[in-house]
Amino acid sequence: GTVAKPRKITYRVLRGDSLYRISRRFKVSIAQLRRWNGIKRNQYLQPGQKITIYVALTADSERS
């Protein structure tokens, strides 16, 4: 198959969101989220904060 090109999205943090929840939702790792956004280990997300996520578009997600 063809290699999926990641799509850059800007996600607005909602109340109650955490790195863990966002990583599960977009199927990326917490380490990736930290690296892409320069988030330190003891830093928490604030509601309304915008973070960058690179989502790999696969054939599976296209079909739905």
Side-chain angles (χ1 to χ4, degrees):
T2 56
V3 175
K5 222 177 66 175
R7 190 181 67 180
K8 178 181 173 183
I9 61 174
T10 300
Y11 176 79
R12 193 161 157 273
V13 177
L14 304 173
R15 191 175 296 284
D17 267 345
S18 63
L19 284 175
Y20 176 75
R21 278 181 62 174
I22 294 169
S23 73
R24 296 275 305 221
R25 186 177 306 153
F26 291 100
K27 299 182 177 67
V28 297
S29 73
I30 291 174
Q32 286 175 307
L33 289 173
R34 286 191 204 280
R35 193 167 69 241
W36 295 332
N37 294 282
I39 299 171
K40 311 242 185 338
R41 267 203 182 284
N42 53 357
Q43 234 179 328
Y44 291 94
L45 298 176
Q46 305 299 321
Q49 183 180 343
K50 291 192 171 68
I51 62 173
T52 297
I53 306 171
Y54 292 91
V55 183
L57 294 178
T58 61
D60 290 342
S61 61
E62 293 278 325
R63 206 178 295 125
S64 57

